Amino acid sequence: MLTLIGMTSVADIFDRVAEKRGWRTGEEGEGQEQLGTSSETKDEEKRQWSQIMRSLHQPFEVLTGAMDQGLQHASYTLCLEERPRNQHTETFDGSSPDVESKGGLSEPGDADFVVLLQAKIDRFYEQRKVTLNTWCSQNGISLDNDMSQADSPYDAPPHKITGAHQRQQRQLYLILYMEFLLWSTGRAVLDLVIFADSKTKAGVMKRRRVIVPGFKRIRRWLAASLSVEDANADHAPDTSETRGMSIEIAIAMCTSYLIWYIVNGETTGVIVLLFVFTFCEFYFVLKYPRFIVVALISMITQVMIIGYELQVRKVGVEVAESSGQPAYPLYQLAPYRLACVAGGMLVAFIWTFFPYPLTARSQLRRDLGSSEYLRAKFYVCVHTTVGARLGNSEGDLHDKKSLGRRLDKARARLFTKELALLEGLRQHSAFTAWEPAFGGKFPRRKYDAIIQEVQNILNYVGLISYASNILVDPAYDDPDEKSWISNFRRLTSS
């Protein structure tokens, strides 16, 4: 998950590079005048970036395709998706393969597909050296067999580092960053494929059984169901959400009129149109999940209005009114429901702003402070984790009382809480557009920018924790890599 989140941050990094270098049309880069960057230098830098990206395109495309096949293989193996019948290949069920039809290459679902995926990941790992050599040749750096003796024109004391050196250093870091993220994602997909194959070989997928949750999970469910909700007034629903619901009820009233009167109240036509409208409305539920509550209320209201009229038609007016509630025709029932919601919204508006305003904006400010607090705790946890890994003091991760195991649980808990809180912040920010402005315009754009910065910092700190895993669990049994890790530990401890 962390590697996928890191891949999404690459676009933000490129956007910052373009902003600092002044590559956007009509914009000046940050510090461009101080660096004395000419148009020729900018064009040359653009050309270098384009050449580097072109060199990365082919290996990235190969590994991305392999990961897609790996996910497809796991889907076939775990019976989440049925394999096409036209693929005549050797599978775990022992069916005879048609080797000529697949040209001797493994395909998703084959018993030996994991070997092909492993080979492509290893090839990408070796391909990184070619990319590094290409970058070095572009920048006049000569690499020989002994990396410590590499001849670099940029070897200079820190106080003599030039702007060009800093730009090329960022270039190199970004290349290594992108390659590491994609390679790590490929390793995660490989682990998923190995897991899926192990379940198939163990015969788990051939049996059908009831999956019973464990005692720990049942205990957590019971604890959550018996816990008392926080009655603090700060958690009361804000008026922006209530106003959104009122608008959706009005839309439901209009769609109910259309559904009912387009077909002149004919039962068959009403049912068909109700299905069509509900099907189209689910688009907004999937497209804008942050407004799922408001959208669902609109659909439920629509179903209740139409369903009530169909029920009255089925059982008759006399039976419908036997409970003491009068039966209204649709053109009266729909406005009555809207009026009830509008009255509730008015009451909510009064008691939200008086005697003290309690809105989405106040929740946004408060939750943003909580988010910063959680982020600081997450940073401290990651900092401690990296220090423990450098000092080789994590202990046995299988031991629940070991330092590494406790830090791992703390990181996961804080990361999950922060992600949930950031999603709530985005919802509050969206709802602020529906609130009346008292005392001036609310700076929503600034808050959105702060939320995005918090998200970026969270992603990068999480990636630091993920990348430091190599200090205790090297990906390959490479003596040079182990020697480098050992030297790096001595350097950081000195």
Side-chain angles (χ1 to χ4, degrees), residues 458-472:
L458 178 69
N459 295 344
Y460 297 143
V461 174
L463 285 170
I464 291 174
S465 171
Y466 180 84
S468 64
N469 274 320
I470 200 170
L471 296 173
V472 293

Side-chain angles (χ1 to χ4, degrees), residues 308 311-327:
Y308 177 77
Q311 173 186 301
V312 172
R313 174 175 294 180
K314 178 67 176 179
V315 303
V317 177
E318 183 177 353
V319 176
E321 292 182 342
S322 62
S323 62
Q325 179 180 353

Side-chain angles (χ1 to χ4, degrees), residues 59-71 108 113 117 120:
F60 272 44
E61 185 177 13
V62 171
L63 185 56
T64 303
M67 288 191 294
D68 288 339
Q69 290 183 329
L71 295 174
F113 176 77
L117 181 60
K120 289 186 177 181

